[in-house]
Amino acid sequence: GGTTKEDVKNESTGAAAAGGKADPNAATKKGLTVGFLPKQVNNPYFTSADKGGEAALKELGSSYKEVGPSSATDTSGQVSYVNTLTQQQVDAMAVSAQDPGALCTALKQAMSNDIKVVTYDSDTNPECRNAFVSQASAEDLGRTEVQLLAEQIGYKGEIAILSAAQTATNQNIWIDFMKDELKDPKYKDIKLVKVAYGNDDAQQSFQQTQGLLQEYPNLKGIISPTTVGIKAAAQYLSGSKYKGKVKLTGLGTPNDMRKYVKNGTVDAFELWDPAKLGALAAQTAVALVSGQITGKEGETFKAGGTSYTIGKDGVISLGKPTVFDAKNIDQFNF
Amino acid sequence: MTVITPNQAPAAEVPKSSGTRLVDRVFKMRELAILVVFLVMIAVTQAGNSEFLSEQGIKDLLLNATILVLVATGQSLVVITRNVDLSVGSTLGITAFAAGIYLQDGGNPIVAIALAVLLGIGFGLLNGLLVSLGQVPALVVTLGTMYIIRGIDSIWVGSRQITAADLPGGFVDFGSGGISAVPYLALIALAVLVATAYYLKHFGSGRELYALGSNPEAARLAGIPVRKRILAAYTFCGALAGLAGAMYLARFGNVDSGTGNGYELTVVSAVVVGGVVFTGGSGSVYGAALGALLLTSINSVLPALGVSSVWVMAINGTLLILAIAVDRIVALRVASALKKRNARHA
Amino acid sequence: MPESLSRAIRWDTVVGALLIVLLLLSFSTVDGFSNALNLSFLIGNTLPIALIALPMTLLVVSGEIDMSVASTAGLSGAVMGALWNQGMTIEAIIPICLLLGVVCGLINGLLVTRLGLPSLAVTIGTLAAYRGIAQIVLGSDAVTDFPTQYLDFAAGRIGDTFVPQAFLPFLVLLAIAVVALHATPFGRSLFAIGASEEAARFAGIRVKRQKLILFTLTGLMASLTGIFWALHYASARYDNATGLELSVIAAVLLGGIDFDGGKGTLGGAIAGVFLLGALQNVMSLQDVSAQSQIVVTGVLLVVSVLGPRVARQISVARAGRTAASAPVSKAPTPTS
Amino acid sequence: MTHPSDAGPAPVLALRDVAKSFGAVRALRGVSLELFPGEVHALAGENGAGKSTLIKALAGVHRPDAGQVLLDGEPVVFHGPGDARDAGIAVIYQEPTLFPDLSIAENIFMGRQPRRALGRIDHKATHHATAALMQRLGVDLDPDRPARGLSIADQQIVEIAKALSFDARVLIMDEPTAALTGSEVARLFNVVRTLREQGAAVLFISHRLEEIFEICQRVTTLRDGAWIASEPLDGMTEDDLVRRMVGRDLDELYPKQEVEPGEVALSVRRLTREGVFTDVSFEVRRGEIVGLAGLVGAGRTEVARAVFGIDRWDAGEVEVDGRKLINGAPSTAMAAGLALVPEDRRAQGLVMDMSIERNIGLTGLRTTVKAGLMDRGAERSRSLDWAVKLQVKYARIADTVNTLSGGNQQKVVLAKWLATGPKVLIVDEPTRGIDVGTKAEVHRLLSQLAADGVAVLMISSDLPEVLGMADRVLVMHEGRLTAEIPRSDATEETVMAAATGRAAA
Ligand SMILES: Nc1ncnc2c1ncn2[C@@H]1O[C@H](COP(=O)(O)OP(=O)(O)OP(=O)(O)O)[C@@H](O)[C@H]1O
Ligand SMILES: Nc1ncnc2c1ncn2[C@@H]1O[C@H](COP(=O)(O)OP(=O)(O)OP(=O)(O)O)[C@@H](O)[C@H]1O
Ligand SMILES: [Mg+2]
Ligand SMILES: [Mg+2]
């Protein structure tokens, strides 16, 4: 008689997050310290997000700090940074989790030390944080990317997906929604032939793109829901004979993609504004510390003039992504 | 004086069994085993996917190998002297960024390349000085400088990045352009490779690298300037890592603080697969280059055959082991065959 | 220079002393360092490296290296997750995973000893292969719902003290390893093998067998670490512990283990492991950025090899001077 | 002092009052030496007397702590071996210093290969020059063969060829003949004589005194790092020389005790290792010393290696004390009571970076154990006992063996194996590089061991040693046993005849 998965399931039902009561009218506290812990420091995407958080905190009269590992797969490094922030007794931390489970013990430890925990960009298990600030609803992202590409290829032909790591939580959810979207009859002439993984590494994504094109000579389009992947794929396409013939879309930053939009490799792609994401994470953290919210479904709070409502499992959504193309791309700089 | 009579080698000078000698040579060439593995792999892939060896396909294969070939060439020189340079990945990253920053501000591509090479030389010198003057184990020192350079790189680069849009169009086009299926970058790498191999074989200082890797103490007694040679090998390795950095920039048009992280293992793999022995003194840069070609090609072959990327890593590792094992078994066979034939009967 | 003195400045003792100095300094000057929770974090996060450092030290002393340890750990975590998802009991899974580690180590060992391949090359190959298999086994899953009593054991501490529960078993393993390396014929033969394999063979030492045992032990410990990792972080993914091999190697090198084989002490290696761990902890608490920490690690490594070298040169120069200044005795008169 | 320096030619190379210490060890204290053109000068002294150190001081490997090196009467400072080489000094070091991965030709010409235009190496010329050198030395070694796997003797020959290729003014040879057999030594001496006649100055070290008397004109003796005498050899006897070296009279060099052989202890039957040796059968009885003679490369070492289990054999069987040995398993051979003192002490006999104590202890890992753990006290006393018994000259038992002189290293190897209390002892060139005094001790030891019932198989290229010590002499030629000669019939002629394949077996 050992312990199996079933036993564990039975024993650990219920027990969700956060007790206490929200007071929507409580005063916003000042002089707090919020620690940002991105998946990786020096990652341009997270740097813009955290900069957004920094600006928002300044506005709210609180202070900001950033710590984090220098590698996006150094989960143990991230755990020890959670510990560090706990030791330093910050008031709240905003975390983008490399792994949904690995941070749990440490985050719970932090919460039991009266530190509010907000996840942003990448969530952990719901019971390990107070709230999750989502960049856009996963459903929106998945479906719109398919819609973008379908338009570009005239609703016809073979397409493929170039994702990040096989374990990337976000990407996997989005890809599920993409597949769901493709079930709609209007896409009946589109065939998803393969999901490839470039591990968010420029060179691997590059070679995966090559492989896709060699394996499927009739490929018409590629969706790459990762900023590293789309950039590598664009760079490969723009230097190959496939430039302009194979369409590419996905999630990218305007600065990365400007050149490829201008030289005709890419028609359009999308992304949310990472700075806004970071700002919202900061605002949520402050609201949590101030007691304006506790993270329960249905609570509302105001941030930067907009009102947000907490959804199921403590998820707060930023809104719809922006589509960038040759017409509007010069208006953005991140 | 340039009149050359073809085939004037006097037949009498050739030792008795020139036939078997040739066979020996060919068999002793450890590179051959890798070449065979490589060709078989390419042939199988082509059979499974006729697009593979299209003009674009060949170009991609060559381009992918180029950067690794360069770095592996430099690394071989160091490994031949019984040392190792683990900092090449970090050097590649930082030089690529330096060249990129310079180009971003409207610099001249040639100067940018020179800059990258010079920076590489600087780091090579640092490693070389530590290893040769400090006389400390290369593995530790270069693991240390790997961390140091990587750290400096990421502090300096921060979250900045160089993208293709920042670079002169000509530079980026050069990175992916070529003469039909042969990319310019591959031509440069080939030139470097051939020159290095020629130097190693035909110049005294080149042979001395082998000598001091083979037996450092004997090298000292033979009056070989050991420290100077080791310093030179590291400097050359650094220079090629710098050149590779510039090429990386041209090829991928994209450099950030993570560029080159973990590259050292790939380079070491290529060198080892290529038959350059870690205890120094033997191996050739051609072998290392073939090793690099083999390793990068595996990464193109598997997707081209439609192998799910889930399998890629496992297959990669298995092939790596297979390559060195086959190489080793062939070498053992040949050695025992030679021994039986050569057994001295004075 | 008196023998006792030159012995005292051996690098492993220096590392041990540095560790103590660092701990004492941090206790008094670094906020948040000395409380029990932080210390338990420090030890807990360093344990995986320390666990693998035990067999790695023995391996390096015998002149070999295993780069695949982190992948073996990842593989055993992945298999653990996959089997757990299948509904097996954890008590059955753990022995299976340990066995798997033994197999991984055995494969490395056989390739090295039977085919005579260089271990660096072999294990770079298996580094990729084992990780790849882990990826095939578990794919994109992240298994997190292991039973709480196991998770608590791997992550919890003994009461309110700073000692993680898993630390005591580690101490036992450490003691076994120290005795094995420094007090048994087996350990003695490892030093001989590392310093001169041929001479060891001529002395009747079963070189291949000893190496095979070592690689197997390393695999076993790596898989144990993989299990510990998955439980400690409550997450089994195929990419668990990626890159751990370099941390282990850096720490072991820092502890004065010579990669040419034949030299070093386990005490030094473990001091190196905890020195790096404590240093990182302190630097994080002091808000030193991750990038600067990398630089510090690198500088420490370089100093760790340059330091003893310089010290030795100075002591040799000094000894030479005293000997040279001693009066030269008159040569005896020739007999003819 | 009786120097002819005021008369004859001026010395080419000289040392004046040179001192050199390694830590606490004072290897040289105020030594002077003069080398004259057209003269072969011997350097004699016990193991550890400082001969090799002196040579290294001459060659620029060591910088003397005090004193001067004089070249053509002018003080010089050699900053490295390269400087000495450029000054026309060629050195053969005591231990071969080859590049195993490079060809013999490259080994010989490393750093000074014939060049073509633009400084490129002329590989062909290198090959031919090497072939010519080999011919001059009368050996058949392929210039393109890598040095890896060469026997010690062949390595020594390559070293000699290397030194000859310099056409140096000064040729220094540190025990060049230690691994050679008579015919090769004879050829080497012919070459040396030619060089001498051409006006070269030669410094020659050997522990075989008859060689010194054969080729040298003058001798300098060292004792414990101190200069004892420099004098002409004319009119000196071997005993005189020994007295200078050792400071006392010497016991008999070959103290063979008569022993009645007991039952068979080692029995080798139809042993074959393809391409190396074929169909080798012999027996060694308790109390017997059996010599194994043959030319270099005859395969004697190979047989010993296979018997001990280092190499596998392809056919045949080996029994020690009635127990069949397992193919390729030295540990079972040891357990059966077999010991092998290998010929290459640096690579095979010793772990150079380990202490004397631990090196000797290495063969006792199974015996100096208490409750599964090392018994350090027992290990130390075992090592000390044997180091003292063999009169190893060392500063501390915990010093690494690479600080010992060549001969003392050899004693450590012997100690290491004698400490196992073997029933059968195979010694491969046991006295290579050992001074006369110690040689006599080693012989007495072997003789004593035999008297105590140990079966001894002695491989040696030193023919007088074989003749002086062996009860029977086995002779190998081209991988086969060609003769078995009883002590009574064994002479230089009979043994050499069998070794060169002239006599029918
Ligand atoms: N590198 C070294 N470090 C320490 N001691 C040394 C070193 N080299 C030589 N010695 C010591 O110097 C002394 C002289 O050694 P050397 O090798 O010159 O003797 P040798 O006369 O050549 O003896 P042999 O006949 O055995 O070769 C010995 O006591 C030896 O232990
Ligand atoms: N040209 C060669 N190629 C390959 N192996 C060689 C060559 N020359 C010698 N050997 C090896 O050396 C062996 C001869 O060994 P070795 O010279 O040690 O014999 P030996 O009779 O013990 O001579 P000695 O003891 O005088 O060195 C050959 O059987 C072979 O294994
Ligand atoms: Mg000597
Ligand atoms: Mg021999």
Side-chain angles (χ1 to χ4, degrees):
Chain A
T3 321
T4 67
K5 194 179 177 84
E6 282 307 307
D7 304 338
V8 172
K9 248 188 209 158
N10 298 338
E11 103 195 4
S12 70
T13 38
K21 241 188 121 73
D23 172 12
N25 300 320
T28 302
K29 288 192 183 160
K30 290 193 192 296
L32 306 174
T33 304
V34 179
F36 270 71
L37 175 49
K39 279 188 190 174
Q40 180 185 23
V41 292
N42 277 352
N43 177 318
Y45 167 80
F46 281 109
T47 305
S48 341
D50 294 0
K51 285 258 160 62
E54 183 175 13
L57 284 170
K58 204 167 168 196
E59 218 163 86
L60 291 170
S62 288
S63 63
Y64 157 93
K65 75 188 290 180
E66 188 196 34
V67 295
S70 54
S71 150
T73 51
D74 180 11
T75 313
S76 66
Q78 224 189 1
V79 171
S80 64
Y81 277 110
V82 172
N83 294 339
T84 304
L85 289 175
T86 308
Q87 282 315 311
Q88 294 177 334
Q89 285 294 328
V90 294
D91 298 287
M93 59 178 90
V95 180
S96 177
Q98 284 184 9
D99 180 305
L103 299 176
C104 266
T105 321
L107 288 178
K108 282 180 180 163
Q109 194 89 254
M111 289 197 289
S112 72
N113 276 282
D114 254 350
I115 295 171
K116 299 296 176 196
V117 176
V118 179
T119 52
Y120 67 107
D121 181 77
S122 290
D123 200 5
T124 59
N125 300 336
E127 72 271 14
C128 315
R129 42 81 176 157
N130 299 99
F132 170 51
V133 178
S134 164
Q135 46 273 53
S137 96
E139 180 161 1
D140 279 350
L141 280 175
R143 295 192 192 281
T144 52
E145 281 171 58
V146 171
Q147 288 156 8
L148 269 178
L149 186 66
E151 246 167 63
Q152 292 173 10
I153 62 172
Y155 292 90
K156 200 166 168 179
E158 295 179 349
I159 62 166
I161 295 173
L162 174 66
S163 183
Q166 221 196 346
T167 47
T169 334
N170 294 337
Q171 270 79 6
N172 288 339
I173 302 173
W174 299 334
I175 290 171
D176 285 342
F177 280 112
M178 289 181 203
K179 288 180 178 159
D180 193 63
E181 175 76 10
L182 283 169
K183 289 187 185 137
D184 190 301
K186 68 178 168 185
Y187 302 114
K188 64 180 178 346
D189 292 333
I190 294 183
K191 190 169 160 235
L192 173 62
V193 290
K194 178 157 181 179
V195 181
Y197 299 93
N199 287 322
D200 265 356
D201 174 276
Q203 211 164 343
Q204 281 183 38
S205 305
F206 215 84
Q207 292 193 340
Q208 287 295 332
T209 314
Q210 285 171 13
L212 284 174
L213 292 166
Q214 284 180 350
E215 189 184 359
Y216 304 102
N218 298 322
L219 202 68
K220 284 283 172 299
I222 298 174
I223 301 175
S224 184
T226 146
T227 52
V228 178
I230 194 173
K231 195 162 53 173
Q235 171 67 9
Y236 175 72
L237 289 178
S238 77
S240 78
K241 64 176 183 183
Y242 305 107
K243 173 174 165 182
K245 299 195 186 102
V246 175
K247 298 295 180 189
L248 173 68
T249 191
L251 303 178
T253 71
N255 286 352
D256 282 357
M257 301 300 291
R258 203 177 319 274
K259 176 178 177 206
Y260 308 112
V261 170
K262 297 215 161 143
N263 75 11
T265 311
V266 173
D267 290 348
F269 62 96
E270 61 180 14
L271 197 69
W272 55 91
D273 185 342
K276 279 193 188 149
L277 178 69
L280 184 54
Q283 287 149 354
T284 309
V286 172
L288 278 166
V289 178
S290 306
Q292 293 159 350
I293 52 174
T294 62
K296 284 212 187 72
E297 184 171 356
E299 293 172 352
T300 60
F301 72 107
K302 266 196 140 60
T306 322
S307 176
Y308 294 91
T309 309
I310 300 179
K312 188 171 173 295
D313 275 341
V315 177
I316 301 163
S317 180
L318 185 65
K320 284 211 185 302
T322 315
V323 174
F324 307 95
D325 57 21
K327 282 191 286 293
N328 70 356
I329 194 162
D330 282 336
Q331 298 159 21
F332 298 91
N333 182 23
F334 64 89
Chain B
M1 87 163 264
T2 45
V3 184
I4 294 168
T5 330
N7 293 336
Q8 70 173 166
E13 285 232 327
V14 182
K16 44 206 168 188
S17 50
S18 66
T20 49
R21 222 165 252 275
L22 185 68
V23 174
D24 289 353
R25 285 268 158 75
V26 173
F27 260 105
K28 273 186 212 158
M29 232 174 70
R30 313 188 76 185
E31 294 84 22
L32 196 73
I34 311 154
L35 191 64
V36 169
V37 172
F38 174 72
L39 291 179
V40 167
M41 191 176 82
I42 297 296
V44 168
T45 314
Q46 175 65 9
N49 177 350
S50 57
E51 268 296 290
F52 186 67
L53 287 185
S54 65
E55 188 178 314
Q56 182 71 40
I58 295 178
K59 189 172 159 188
D60 289 341
L61 271 185
L62 293 176
L63 263 182
N64 291 340
T66 299
I67 291 163
L68 189 57
V69 165
L70 272 184
V71 186
T73 302
Q75 183 76 258
S76 318
L77 248 67
V78 173
V79 173
I80 283 170
T81 66
R82 201 181 271 198
N83 286 294
V84 68
D85 186 352
L86 291 181
S87 72
V88 284
S90 306
T91 304
L92 184 147
I94 201 167
T95 53
F97 189 77
I101 280 285
Y102 173 74
L103 284 174
Q104 196 176 32
D105 299 338
N108 177 326
I110 303 288
V111 180
I113 294 174
L115 188 74
V117 173
L118 275 179
L119 194 59
I121 287 178
F123 287 122
L125 271 175
L126 173 72
N127 282 324
L129 284 175
L130 283 171
V131 172
S132 65
L133 289 187
Q135 294 194 322
V136 286
L139 192 78
V140 195
V141 167
T142 58
L143 187 64
T145 51
M146 175 192 97
Y147 282 126
I148 295 173
I149 300 172
R150 184 186 294 175
I152 292 174
D153 186 33
S154 52
I155 292 171
W156 179 42
V157 178
S159 66
R160 288 183 292 171
Q161 55 179 341
I162 307 286
T163 62
D166 305 325
L167 303 173
F171 186 68
V172 178
D173 291 343
F174 178 75
S176 48
I179 303 162
S180 75
V182 185
Y184 300 124
L185 296 189
L187 288 175
I188 296 179
L190 188 68
V192 170
L193 176 67
V194 171
T196 311
Y198 191 84
Y199 162 78
L200 283 179
K201 177 109 181 77
H202 294 286
F203 284 86
S205 47
R207 299 313 297 167
E208 287 176 9
L209 292 182
Y210 281 93
L212 71 92
S214 196
N215 184 347
E217 179 57 23
R220 204 170 66 85
L221 292 178
I224 294 174
V226 173
R227 293 180 177 186
K228 214 165 104 189
R229 295 282 175 268
I230 290 180
L231 192 62
Y234 270 100
T235 310
F236 183 71
C237 181
L240 287 196
L243 182 61
M247 291 200 171
Y248 185 98
L249 182 69
R251 165 72 168 137
F252 294 103
N254 177 6
V255 176
D256 59 28
S257 65
T259 300
N261 275 7
Y263 204 56
E264 54 282 343
L265 277 192
T266 316
V267 176
V268 169
S269 306
V271 167
V272 168
V273 167
V276 182
V277 184
F278 249 75
T279 44
S282 76
S284 76
V285 286
Y286 287 128
L290 271 172
L293 188 61
L294 182 70
L295 282 193
T296 49
S297 302
I298 292 174
N299 285 335
S300 303
V301 160
L302 295 180
L305 282 175
V307 176
S308 156
S309 56
V310 176
W311 292 81
V312 168
M313 203 192 269
I315 295 178
N316 236 330
T318 314
L319 280 180
L320 178 65
I321 295 169
L322 222 63
I324 49 176
V326 165
D327 176 42
R328 171 76 184 169
I329 291 168
V330 169
L332 281 181
R333 283 274 156 81
V334 172
S336 77
L338 276 181
K339 188 162 186 186
K340 277 183 191 159
R341 197 142 38 87
N342 272 13
R344 266 186 71 205
H345 298 299
Chain C
M1 173 171 291
E3 187 181 9
S4 56
L5 193 60
S6 68
R7 203 170 261 196
I9 59 163
R10 272 188 353 195
W11 183 249
D12 48 357
T13 32
V14 172
V15 173
L18 278 180
L19 176 61
I20 292 169
V21 169
L22 177 71
L23 290 180
L24 291 179
L25 273 181
S26 312
F27 264 110
S28 50
T29 58
V30 180
D31 280 346
F33 180 82
S34 56
N35 76 51
L37 191 61
N38 182 59
L39 289 176
S40 77
F41 286 153
L42 194 177
I43 298 173
N45 289 334
T46 313
L47 267 187
I49 296 177
L51 278 172
I52 297 188
L54 297 181
M56 186 72 95
T57 303
L58 270 62
L59 205 53
V60 172
V61 161
S62 76
E64 302 287 342
I65 191 168
D66 187 348
M67 301 289 286
S68 74
V69 282
S71 297
T72 305
L75 177 57
S76 99
V79 168
M80 177 162 138
L83 293 179
W84 177 249
N85 275 347
Q86 305 259 307
M88 253 172 122
T89 67
I90 190 94
E91 290 78 8
I93 293 174
I94 289 178
I96 292 179
C97 289
L98 292 178
L99 198 67
L100 182 73
V102 167
V103 172
C104 289
L106 208 58
I107 292 175
N108 285 334
L110 287 174
L111 284 168
V112 170
T113 56
R114 297 298 135 189
L115 281 184
L117 298 174
S119 56
L120 184 71
V122 165
T123 55
I124 285 179
T126 50
L127 175 147
Y130 296 161
R131 185 67 71 185
I133 297 170
Q135 195 176 2
I136 295 168
V137 168
L138 197 59
S140 58
D141 276 358
V143 183
T144 58
D145 54 351
F146 296 110
T148 32
Q149 66 268 35
Y150 284 85
L151 296 180
D152 288 347
F153 171 76
R157 4 179 214 149
I158 300 173
D160 264 347
T161 65
F162 68 91
V163 184
Q165 291 186 23
F167 193 56
L168 295 184
F170 165 75
L171 285 183
V172 173
L173 288 173
L174 173 63
I176 294 175
V178 168
V179 169
L181 181 62
H182 295 296
T184 64
F186 175 71
R188 187 61 58 80
S189 67
L190 295 185
F191 281 100
I193 293 172
S196 170
E197 184 168 333
E198 197 178 4
R201 212 155 56 93
F202 270 88
I205 291 168
R206 300 172 72 175
V207 175
K208 289 184 176 178
R209 202 187 62 154
Q210 313 282 69
K211 285 191 175 173
L212 194 62
I213 292 175
L214 269 187
F215 274 105
T216 311
L217 276 178
T218 309
L220 177 70
M221 287 299 287
S223 77
L224 184 69
T225 308
I227 295 167
F228 174 73
W229 183 289
L231 294 175
H232 184 72
Y233 294 119
S235 169
R237 295 200 315 185
Y238 85 83
D239 62 355
N240 270 7
T242 301
L244 195 70
E245 68 279 350
L246 276 192
S247 309
V248 174
I249 289 168
V252 167
L253 286 175
L254 181 62
I257 307 295
D258 190 335
F259 258 61
D260 291 339
K263 284 195 199 91
T265 63
L266 241 177
I270 294 301
V273 169
F274 281 96
L275 181 63
L276 272 189
L279 204 60
Q280 268 158 17
N281 181 283
V282 168
M283 286 193 291
S284 296
L285 285 175
Q286 300 281 55
D287 285 332
V288 177
S289 73
Q291 301 94 298
S292 311
Q293 292 189 20
I294 296 177
V295 178
V296 171
T297 307
V299 169
L300 213 59
L301 270 178
V302 173
V303 170
S304 81
V305 283
L306 271 184
R309 171 93 209 158
V310 171
R312 202 173 326 133
Q313 246 156 16
I314 291 173
S315 78
V316 164
R318 202 177 291 153
R321 221 171 301 129
T322 44
S325 59
V328 176
S329 65
K330 262 259 164 296
T333 25
T335 37
S336 67
Chain D
M1 283 202 269
T2 51
H3 279 291
S5 45
D6 27 28
V12 200
L13 187 64
L15 287 182
R16 189 179 293 156
D17 289 331
V18 163
K20 175 77 193 171
S21 299
F22 301 99
V25 178
R26 293 166 65 194
L28 292 178
R29 18 186 159 180
V31 173
S32 301
L33 175 82
E34 292 179 329
L35 298 181
F36 297 95
E39 191 177 86
V40 184
H41 194 119
L43 190 58
E46 288 179 289
N47 292 132
K51 304 181 295 296
S52 299
T53 309
L54 183 147
I55 277 182
K56 287 181 179 165
L58 277 176
V61 178
H62 291 325
R63 284 275 288 283
D65 299 331
Q68 282 176 325
V69 180
L70 303 167
L71 184 68
D72 294 321
E74 298 294 319
V76 283
V77 175
F78 295 136
H79 292 283
D83 286 358
R85 193 183 67 190
D86 295 342
I89 302 170
V91 185
I92 300 172
Y93 295 99
Q94 185 167 10
E95 308 296 344
T97 53
L98 297 183
F99 308 113
D101 299 290
L102 301 186
S103 70
I104 290 178
E106 288 206 277
N107 262 291
I108 291 176
F109 286 100
M110 180 51 65
R112 4 170 234 114
Q113 297 94 338
R115 298 299 160 98
R116 292 189 296 159
L118 302 173
R120 289 167 304 156
I121 294 172
D122 190 339
H123 291 292
K124 217 181 209 167
T126 315
H127 175 98
H128 288 306
T130 309
L133 276 170
M134 289 301 159
Q135 205 160 20
R136 193 164 155 205
L137 286 170
V139 285
D140 172 32
L141 279 176
D142 177 0
D144 293 331
R145 181 192 190 286
R148 190 182 296 288
L150 284 182
S151 68
I152 293 278
D154 286 344
Q155 291 181 33
Q156 198 62 262
I157 285 171
V158 175
E159 289 289 346
I160 293 169
K162 197 199 297 183
L164 291 183
S165 72
F166 282 108
D167 285 324
R169 294 200 298 156
V170 181
L171 176 61
I172 299 176
M173 302 191 283
D174 195 350
E175 302 194 28
T177 56
L180 302 187
T181 48
S183 55
E184 286 131 349
V185 173
R187 247 190 240 110
L188 172 66
F189 283 1
N190 281 334
V191 176
V192 169
R193 277 187 202 104
T194 320
L195 288 176
R196 189 190 68 201
E197 278 150 25
Q198 290 163 358
V202 181
L203 182 62
F204 178 78
I205 298 181
S206 175
H207 287 295
R208 298 183 189 163
L209 301 187
E210 71 277 10
E211 289 179 356
I212 291 184
F213 281 94
E214 181 181 348
I215 190 85
C216 301
Q217 284 78 52
R218 297 173 60 76
V219 60
T220 294
T221 324
L222 300 180
R223 195 190 307 153
D224 277 338
W227 179 87
I228 301 295
S230 290
E231 57 209 319
L233 271 161
D234 256 355
M236 263 178 99
T237 63
E238 289 203 8
D239 287 340
D240 294 337
L241 187 53
V242 168
R243 213 172 302 117
R244 301 258 199 297
M245 287 165 57
V246 190
R248 59 184 160 84
D249 280 316
L250 198 63
D251 317 309
E252 195 194 347
L253 188 53
Y254 302 115
K256 177 75 182 101
Q257 302 181 20
E258 282 311 319
V259 180
E260 193 56 43
E263 67 276 23
V264 174
L266 171 68
S267 140
V268 174
R269 281 193 289 275
R270 315 214 58 159
L271 206 65
T272 298
R273 181 169 157 80
E274 270 169 44
V276 183
F277 55 83
T278 314
D279 202 8
V280 172
S281 305
F282 62 87
E283 287 178 347
V284 185
R285 293 170 178 276
R286 286 168 166 280
E288 218 183 8
I289 297 180
V290 175
L292 184 54
L295 295 183
V296 164
R300 297 162 299 169
T301 297
E302 266 49 40
V303 169
R305 287 169 59 111
V307 167
F308 188 64
I310 298 293
D311 299 329
R312 300 182 68 83
W313 62 75
D314 297 315
E317 56 184 29
V318 179
E319 267 177 28
V320 171
D321 218 22
R323 271 167 72 182
K324 267 207 186 104
L325 295 190
I326 300 171
N327 195 354
S331 53
T332 51
M334 273 173 75
L338 188 60
L340 169 68
V341 173
E343 75 178 332
D344 184 347
R345 60 174 171 254
R346 286 170 68 88
Q348 302 164 345
L350 296 169
V351 181
M352 299 301 289
D353 279 341
M354 256 191 184
S355 65
I356 303 163
E357 174 184 359
R358 299 228 161 151
N359 264 292
I360 299 176
L362 222 46
T363 52
L365 290 183
R366 248 168 269 191
T367 46
T368 51
V369 171
K370 232 197 260 166
L373 302 182
M374 291 301 299
D375 182 346
R376 295 211 180 164
E379 184 187 19
R380 170 156 292 207
S381 64
R382 175 180 181 269
S383 299
L384 268 175
D385 277 358
W386 283 96
V388 169
K389 239 181 248 179
L390 272 78
Q391 300 178 11
V392 179
K393 186 169 170 259
Y394 59 87
R396 283 185 304 246
I397 191 92
D399 285 344
T400 56
V401 291
N402 58 15
T403 60
L404 296 184
S405 75
N408 279 301
Q409 289 173 4
Q410 183 70 26
K411 288 192 210 166
V412 175
V413 187
L414 273 167
K416 165 180 165 182
W417 283 106
L418 293 186
T420 62
K423 292 182 187 136
V424 178
L425 177 66
I426 305 179
V427 287
D428 196 351
E429 311 288 0
T431 57
R432 187 165 76 86
I434 285 194
D435 67 49
V436 271
T438 318
K439 207 175 199 169
E441 281 163 41
V442 169
H443 289 156
R444 198 170 31 254
L445 249 156
L446 289 178
S447 180
Q448 185 60 48
L449 283 168
D452 293 347
V454 177
V456 179
L457 178 66
M458 184 173 79
I459 302 172
S460 176
S461 300
D462 188 350
L463 207 45
E465 177 174 271
V466 173
L467 298 176
M469 295 299 299
D471 293 299
R472 274 185 297 143
V473 181
L474 303 170
V475 187
M476 280 188 80
H477 172 63
E478 293 191 353
R480 287 175 186 276
L481 265 188
T482 49
E484 177 176 341
I485 308 171
R487 183 176 178 82
S488 49
D489 299 348
T491 62
E492 298 230 359
E493 290 69 37
T494 51
V495 173
M496 281 318 287
T500 49
R502 270 180 280 139

